[in-house]
Amino acid sequence: MEGMNLSETDSTLRTSMLWDQLIKAPSLDDFLNQNESEIKLLPFSEYINALCKERGERPARVIARAGIERSFGYQVFRGDRKPSRDTVLLLAFGFEADVALTQSLLKRAGHSALYPRVRRDVVIAYSLRGGICLADTQNTLADLGLPAIGGMPR
């Protein structure tokens, strides 16, 4: 992990190239053997810890900015707990992430990406794009009658 840039993709092949290789592969075993290193992502906890290191952050600060209960946040960072989609979104705000990093966090946690046809996701993506804080995002969601991220009250 030393020297890795997590804002870029982990792999050397573009996803479209992997799809092309998969479609053309003579067998599943051939594809898996040839691309083993390309289809493996860091576990979520390792990814967010490496992201902290890359950004000079401390997990405690990310957890606090995310508004996540402290002990639960540390369990996520240790890999003891699998975060819900909303917890990942809260962590994105804790990391002061942009939309691209948020999509990466969601993907690595095994959750669906923000989708521009879902009103709540649009508000969240717009806030992330504009650097709008979590509290203001929660207020906008409430004003629009949409569920808060993590069920947090206004």
Side-chain angles (χ1 to χ4, degrees):
M1 274 192 311
E2 190 66 34
M4 85 170 46
N5 185 347
L6 294 172
S7 62
E8 299 172 3
T9 60
D10 288 346
S11 62
T12 57
L13 286 180
R14 297 182 67 144
T15 303
S16 59
M17 294 170 72
L18 276 176
W19 277 117
D20 189 50
Q21 287 183 16
L22 176 60
I23 290 166
K24 293 177 181 176
S27 73
L28 177 61
D29 286 338
D30 286 343
F31 176 79
L32 292 173
N33 289 334
Q34 290 175 354
N35 296 290
E36 184 175 345
S37 66
E38 296 293 331
I39 58 176
K40 185 176 182 182
L41 294 175
L42 284 176
F44 186 72
S45 60
E46 288 181 34
Y47 180 70
I48 60 176
N49 279 292
L51 188 59
C52 277
K53 186 174 182 178
E54 177 184 289
R55 293 175 152 221
E57 284 283 1
R58 291 185 349 263
R61 287 190 61 212
V62 173
I63 292 166
R65 282 194 305 257
I68 297 171
E69 195 275 319
R70 201 175 114 236
S71 64
F72 177 74
Y74 280 112
Q75 290 172 353
V76 171
F77 270 86
R78 283 193 312 265
D80 296 339
R81 299 284 295 266
K82 181 180 179 348
S84 67
R85 185 175 190 264
D86 272 12
T87 298
V88 175
L89 291 171
L90 290 171
L91 285 170
F93 280 95
F95 275 111
E96 298 175 337
D98 60 11
V99 175
L101 178 55
T102 302
Q103 299 291 52
S104 181
L105 287 164
L106 288 164
K107 175 179 74 172
R108 290 161 186 282
H111 296 295
S112 61
L114 292 170
Y115 189 58
R117 294 186 188 273
V118 175
R119 192 173 174 93
R120 181 175 184 256
D121 284 1
V122 168
V123 172
I124 294 166
Y126 183 84
S127 294
L128 291 164
R129 181 191 66 98
I132 298 170
C133 72
L134 178 59
D136 289 344
T137 302
Q138 299 286 37
N139 287 335
T140 300
L141 289 167
D143 291 346
L144 294 171
L146 299 168
I149 305 168
M152 290 174 44
R154 258 177 97 156

